[in-house]
Amino acid sequence: MINSIDIYSKLEFKEEIPKYIQIANFIKNLIEKKKIKDGQKLPTIRELSVFLNVNSITIVNAYKKLKSEGYAYQKVGSGSYAKVKEISFLFRKEYSNSLKKLLIDDLPDIVDFTGETNTEVLFPIDDLKETINKVLDRDGVNALISNNTYGYKNLISTINKNFWDSKLNEEDMIIISGAQQGIDIVSKGILNINDNIIVEKPTYGGALSVFKWRKANIFEVPVENDGVNLERFEKILQKNKIRCFYTMSYFQNPTGISYSLEKKKRILELAEIYDFYIIEDDYLSELVYEDTISYIPFKWLDKNARVIYIKSFSKIFLPGIRLGYLVAPELFRESLQNSKFNTDITTSSLMQRALELYIYENKWKENIRYLNLEYSKRYKVMKDILDNEFKDLVTYIDPKGGLNFYLTIKDDKITSKDLFIKLKKKGVYITPGIMFFTSSNDGQNTFRIGFYQTDIEKIKKGLDILREELI
């Protein structure tokens, strides 16, 4: 362990970059290279300012930058300490880069259990061509002109009529470019620095990134078979002023669980008692393979304007076409509209009109029936193999819908990160559990596999290779 301040003598300042940034980056590099250990105390502000011959304010700003980026933390009355981000932060980069580096020519030979490569599209392209041609014939150049920042009015009305029995106030609806943008818009619109937010543990990594970027304080509540642990949930509410609760109510990512009606009702009651709002991310509720699951989202039950509902069409329309919508309480209408405008001004007018016509002509329902038929076959094949060939290797909660299984490794001798690296060499890609937690200590023995981009042949091939590595 490096205890001497002499290590900072290697820092050479450059004129064009502010000194506090150079100091922060230098310390960050030492932490990443393990020359400064996790939890090691950093020099005092006075000590380092004297040693580097800089103003103490420069060191204060450098430490603030390190803390904001997650490379340091402060103990009141004790000083600043290094925080290692290598496991979670650096591995996220490695995971993302591994998928980005895949060439188109490589895709037919790999087994993508992550669902992130778009190697196949289960969508009737001819239907889309026909729909777009109809839109262009009907609307002409207007189809290409974006004249409403918050969405094509006919699409909003069609969504309201077909999916909500015309019960929503259409002024509260905004068309967005997918769920990720929706989470970002909501976060910018209603969260301030140091606001408290509760998330499921584990949860969608993209949401965690947004909340961290907003510098919110994140509280995690463990997920059970039918939703979060309510006892743990309420204890956090009792001790902290919570602004929001982010949840995926159906086929939660990554666990695949769906909320029971009782837990939804209780959480809505708690939202009113403790004055917080629910961000409901609904991205796969159409894909139900067993009739034990009924569709009643938080938003349907919301009587006190506590739910901000986000819906994505990306997985069930076309993956390359980012479309969705959000519904906000009137209280947040203006702030979320402003947030949307400041994010991207508008969403593709042509694709909004095409989606509207697709829904209006009932082709949407036909496609959902087709997707349910195809994905249910893959779900059953994957489930049968897991039940028969992996029962001594992993455990899981049966999702009964959606696109993923979340597996827990029984043998503690291998981590999901190591498993990812080994499988990647054999052309099989999984998503390690570490991607779904705020702490690098969690998710070490869990991983997610999906059948969104894997047909039955690839499912069998990939699971066979996976089994070999787990034995």
Side-chain angles (χ1 to χ4, degrees):
M1 182 179 292
I2 304 296
N3 292 315
S4 173
I5 198 171
D6 291 340
I7 192 172
Y8 297 93
S9 63
K10 296 180 180 180
L11 173 58
E12 296 180 0
F13 290 117
K14 299 177 181 177
E15 291 185 6
E16 64 272 17
I17 303 173
K19 288 184 178 179
Y20 82 93
I21 293 178
Q22 295 183 65
I23 295 169
N25 289 341
F26 182 79
I27 296 174
K28 186 193 309 181
N29 186 52
L30 292 175
I31 293 171
E32 288 181 348
K33 291 183 176 180
K34 300 183 181 181
K35 292 184 178 180
I36 295 179
K37 305 298 182 182
D38 187 35
Q40 183 177 334
K41 188 174 181 179
L42 300 176
T44 65
I45 292 169
R46 183 178 181 280
E47 185 181 16
L48 193 55
S49 66
V50 170
F51 185 82
L52 295 177
N53 193 28
V54 297
N55 192 293
S56 61
I57 297 299
T58 302
I59 305 301
V60 169
N61 289 333
Y63 282 2
K64 281 183 179 179
K65 181 174 172 60
L66 287 170
K67 290 166 192 171
S68 70
E69 295 179 7
Y71 282 92
Y73 61 94
Q74 187 172 19
K75 291 182 181 179
V76 178
S78 178
S80 297
Y81 293 78
K83 183 177 180 182
V84 174
K85 292 182 65 176
E86 60 185 310
I87 296 177
S88 57
F89 180 72
L90 297 180
F91 180 71
R92 286 175 195 274
K93 289 174 66 175
E94 179 185 348
Y95 171 82
S96 178
N97 289 336
S98 295
L99 294 169
K100 287 178 182 177
K101 289 177 181 177
L102 287 172
L103 302 175
I104 294 177
D105 293 341
D106 298 332
L107 298 183
D109 298 322
I110 72 160
V111 177
D112 175 24
F113 284 141
T114 73
E116 295 184 27
T117 60
N118 292 332
T119 55
E120 76 168 9
V121 176
L122 290 182
F123 187 85
I125 298 299
D126 289 340
D127 277 359
L128 180 63
K129 290 179 181 177
E130 181 183 346
T131 301
I132 290 176
N133 287 335
K134 283 183 180 179
V135 168
L136 291 171
D137 289 341
R138 183 192 68 190
D139 300 341
V141 70
N142 288 330
L144 306 175
I145 298 174
S146 301
N147 54 15
N148 191 327
T149 299
Y150 314 122
Y152 176 48
K153 189 177 184 306
N154 288 2
L155 174 58
I156 291 174
S157 297
T158 298
I159 288 172
N160 193 15
K161 179 180 178 181
N162 283 267
F163 303 146
W164 298 92
D165 296 335
S166 299
K167 292 180 180 179
L168 297 179
N169 182 346
E170 293 177 11
E171 292 184 6
D172 296 333
M173 300 173 68
I174 301 173
I175 301 299
I176 55 177
S177 301
Q180 184 68 27
Q181 187 193 62
I183 297 167
D184 185 59
I185 287 171
V186 172
S187 182
K188 289 176 180 175
I190 70 174
L191 285 179
N192 295 311
I193 292 175
N194 289 326
D195 273 353
N196 297 323
I197 183 166
I198 296 177
V199 301
E200 295 151 341
K201 182 180 184 180
T203 192
Y204 170 50
L208 287 176
S209 297
V210 170
F211 301 142
K212 288 177 180 177
W213 183 255
R214 292 297 295 169
K215 295 182 173 58
N217 300 314
I218 301 173
F219 294 82
E220 295 174 298
V221 179
V223 169
E224 301 175 328
N225 289 21
D226 63 343
V228 291
N229 180 307
L230 287 182
E231 183 179 350
R232 298 276 292 274
F233 188 80
E234 191 162 4
K235 281 184 179 178
I236 292 174
L237 294 172
Q238 291 168 349
K239 295 179 181 179
N240 304 274
K241 174 58 182 172
I242 298 299
R243 179 62 165 166
C244 294
F245 167 48
Y246 170 76
T247 179
M248 307 181 88
S249 51
Y250 283 89
F251 313 122
Q252 192 258 7
N253 185 6
T255 65
I257 67 98
S258 297
Y259 277 70
S260 64
L261 182 60
E262 292 74 22
K263 281 199 174 178
K264 289 175 192 167
K265 289 179 177 179
R266 180 55 182 160
I267 290 170
L268 283 164
E269 289 175 358
L270 292 173
E272 192 65 13
I273 294 169
Y274 292 99
D275 188 24
F276 67 89
Y277 294 89
I278 299 165
I279 304 172
E280 181 176 20
D281 183 354
D282 176 6
Y283 80 126
L284 286 180
S285 57
E286 294 84 356
L287 301 180
V288 181
Y289 314 135
E290 296 189 15
D291 57 13
T292 55
I293 296 178
S294 57
Y295 181 63
I296 308 175
F298 280 96
K299 190 62 184 176
W300 271 112
L301 304 168
D302 183 23
K303 297 178 181 178
N304 299 304
R306 288 287 168 184
V307 179
I308 303 165
Y309 178 86
I310 300 173
K311 176 66 185 175
S312 171
F313 294 123
S314 299
K315 288 282 194 296
I316 48 179
F317 184 49
L318 270 177
I321 297 174
R322 311 296 297 174
L323 277 177
Y325 67 98
L326 68 80
V327 186
E330 184 179 352
L331 173 66
F332 299 123
R333 181 193 299 166
E334 184 176 352
S335 63
L336 295 188
Q337 286 178 345
N338 290 338
S339 180
K340 163 65 176 173
F341 180 81
N342 291 330
T343 299
D344 70 352
I345 301 180
T346 189
T347 299
S348 169
S349 176
L350 176 60
M351 294 317 302
Q352 286 189 66
R353 291 167 189 257
L355 177 59
E356 186 279 326
L357 186 60
Y358 199 75
I359 296 171
Y360 178 79
E361 292 184 339
N362 283 321
K363 289 183 178 180
W364 171 267
K365 291 182 179 179
E366 295 172 13
N367 189 47
I368 292 298
R369 279 195 292 268
Y370 168 69
L371 290 178
N372 266 281
L373 181 64
E374 174 59 29
Y375 286 134
S376 65
K377 291 177 183 176
R378 300 183 185 189
Y379 157 80
K380 289 173 183 174
V381 168
M382 186 171 277
K383 184 178 185 303
D384 286 344
I385 295 174
L386 290 173
D387 288 344
N388 294 316
E389 300 180 25
F390 284 76
K391 58 185 177 181
D392 296 325
L393 303 173
V394 300
T395 61
Y396 71 93
I397 297 172
D398 183 2
K400 301 178 181 179
L403 295 170
N404 305 303
F405 285 85
Y406 188 61
L407 309 180
T408 299
I409 304 169
K410 287 187 176 182
D411 188 350
D412 60 5
K413 294 179 182 178
I414 183 171
T415 68
S416 57
K417 177 187 172 185
D418 293 334
L419 185 62
F420 169 81
I421 294 170
K422 290 180 178 180
L423 290 173
K424 183 176 71 169
K425 295 176 181 177
K426 297 185 177 182
V428 177
Y429 288 77
I430 62 170
T431 307
I434 192 174
M435 305 294 290
F436 307 107
F437 295 87
T438 60
S439 170
S440 59
N441 295 321
D442 292 315
Q444 295 291 327
N445 66 333
T446 63
F447 62 99
R448 188 191 68 189
I449 57 172
F451 42 89
Y452 177 51
Q453 293 295 320
T454 50
D455 57 24
I456 289 175
E457 182 182 341
K458 283 193 172 184
I459 288 173
K460 292 178 179 178
K461 174 185 175 182
L463 289 181
D464 189 46
I465 296 172
L466 172 60
R467 183 173 169 274
E468 290 177 4
E469 292 297 336
L470 288 173
I471 293 176

